[in-house]
Amino acid sequence: MSTAVKHVIADRGDFSWSSLLRRWETLLVAVLFLVVAVGSVSLREFLDANNLADSTFNFSEKALIALAMTLLIIVREIDVSVAGILAVAAVAMGYANTLGVPAAGLAVIGIAVGAICGGLNGLLVTRFGIPSIVVTIGTMSLYRGIALVVLGDQAYTNYPDALSDWGQGYVFGLIPREFIVLLAFASLFALLLHGTTFGRRIYAIGSNPVAARFSGIAVDRYRLALFILAGTMAGVAAVLLTGRIGSTRPNIALGWELEAITMAILGGVSIAGGSGTIGGVLLAVFTLGMVTYGLGLANVPGIIMTIMIGALLLITITVPVLLRAGAGARR
């Protein structure tokens, strides 16, 4: 008796140039090349190797936060308290530094405080069912307020040289260590999201949390873990930023939550959850980094950069919605 199979369902669809060209990441690559081309033509020092390397200092810490934010948004959550967590972690490191704790201990304290703050956010969301936007708006004020109360108008300074080496140091005398750390974490996040069961379940939760729960996925455990991860990455960013600037003030990383969210959404992560890639987010990071770098070389005021980031966030959120609405109307 013949057992030939009439139809085979492939794990992946056949390669198509048209589908590749329609991908959001392809558009980001084109925009990145356009930004580099315009910058290199209009600004004489744009392609200087040292300048390009140093420009990574402007986005590496924010991008670390954006990686964790990406996973949260994919599961339909968000954390607008990440900059406040960074501030509290930096303050904890500063206080420990006054007690003589060595650099390695300061790093552990900063990361641990970040994880604890993220865990508090996650518990409030998963245990009490409060929307994450409400919880993290509240904890954003709480964490930033703690930093203000502890420091007032003062600052923690005189950090160990070993901490400064991580924030300010270079590999091979050219590539900032922070950028190497970013690439390492981006690789780990890409493997986690795109190459493991954990990542597939994150997509499942974001696509349909009710169906994911009925299929046996511990949805709340995953959401809690992702909030802890977001706080942990904010703690890592606090370690690097504190080492780079050599001081801790209560307004440290003010407004960074907006930039981290912008990096994720511009990278193609759907605000409705269920889709997004680490590669897209990394391309968005580089694109925003090159735009900021070029504007800095052109002596454009910082407030203009803030306006542009806000405009980009609005555009990247509204354009996909309008395109889907247009496609639905045509059907």
Side-chain angles (χ1 to χ4, degrees):
M1 185 173 69
S2 175
T3 58
V5 178
K6 296 176 106 179
H7 303 286
V8 176
I9 300 176
D11 290 336
R12 297 178 181 273
D14 294 333
F15 175 79
S16 168
W17 282 106
S18 60
S19 62
L20 177 63
L21 292 174
R22 287 196 300 268
R23 288 181 64 88
W24 186 262
E25 290 85 350
T26 305
L27 175 61
L28 286 174
V29 170
V31 172
L32 178 58
F33 275 110
L34 179 62
V35 170
V36 172
V38 172
S40 60
V41 170
S42 57
L43 298 167
R44 185 178 58 185
E45 299 177 349
F46 188 88
L47 293 181
D48 180 82
N50 290 315
N51 286 343
L52 284 172
D54 287 346
S55 71
T56 63
F57 283 117
N58 295 326
F59 60 76
S60 292
E61 299 117 351
K62 300 170 191 174
L64 288 170
I65 298 173
L67 292 174
M69 188 73 72
T70 295
L71 304 190
L72 271 178
I73 295 176
I74 287 176
V75 297
R76 304 188 183 186
E77 303 293 348
I78 200 165
D79 187 348
V80 297
S81 72
V82 283
I85 293 175
L86 190 158
V88 168
V91 167
M93 291 169 59
Y95 179 74
N97 184 53
T98 63
L99 302 178
V101 176
L106 296 180
V108 171
I109 289 171
I111 295 171
V113 169
I116 291 169
C117 291
L120 175 60
N121 288 342
L123 283 174
L124 291 173
V125 171
T126 58
R127 185 64 61 87
F128 299 101
I130 308 172
S132 58
I133 185 68
V134 176
V135 168
T136 56
I137 285 175
T139 54
M140 173 180 65
S141 300
L142 172 65
Y143 300 146
R144 185 67 68 177
I146 291 173
L148 286 166
V149 168
V150 172
L151 283 175
D153 58 354
Q154 303 299 312
Y156 287 126
T157 56
N158 299 320
Y159 286 98
D161 291 338
L163 193 67
S164 299
D165 287 342
W166 276 102
Q168 303 173 10
Y170 293 83
V171 176
F172 305 122
L174 176 64
I175 306 173
R177 285 186 180 179
E178 285 193 353
F179 187 61
I180 299 298
V181 171
L182 168 61
L183 293 180
F185 271 108
S187 300
L188 288 173
F189 271 77
L191 178 62
L192 177 69
L193 182 61
H194 305 301
T196 66
T197 301
F198 184 89
R200 289 192 290 274
R201 289 178 176 177
I202 287 174
Y203 281 119
I205 294 169
S207 297
N208 192 325
V210 176
R213 185 173 281 109
F214 276 109
S215 68
I217 298 175
V219 173
D220 285 343
R221 288 185 183 178
Y222 277 83
R223 292 158 69 204
L224 175 60
L226 293 182
F227 276 105
I228 295 174
L229 181 60
T232 301
M233 295 308 295
V236 173
V239 173
L240 295 175
L241 179 60
T242 302
R244 178 164 67 88
I245 64 178
S247 66
T248 300
R249 298 183 183 277
N251 63 348
I252 188 173
L254 192 65
W256 278 23
E257 61 280 333
L258 173 63
E259 297 190 48
I261 294 169
T262 302
M263 288 173 177
I265 301 300
L266 182 61
V269 181
S270 173
I271 196 68
S275 65
T277 65
I278 296 299
V281 173
L282 209 56
L283 283 170
V285 167
F286 293 152
T287 301
L288 284 173
M290 289 298 97
V291 170
T292 304
Y293 165 59
L295 292 175
L297 285 179
N299 294 318
V300 174
I303 187 63
I304 302 298
M305 298 184 192
T306 302
I307 292 172
M308 291 183 64
I309 290 171
L312 276 173
L313 180 58
L314 286 174
I315 291 169
T316 50
I317 289 175
T318 56
V319 166
V321 174
L322 294 175
L323 290 176
R324 284 195 296 269
R330 286 193 297 274
R331 286 195 296 268

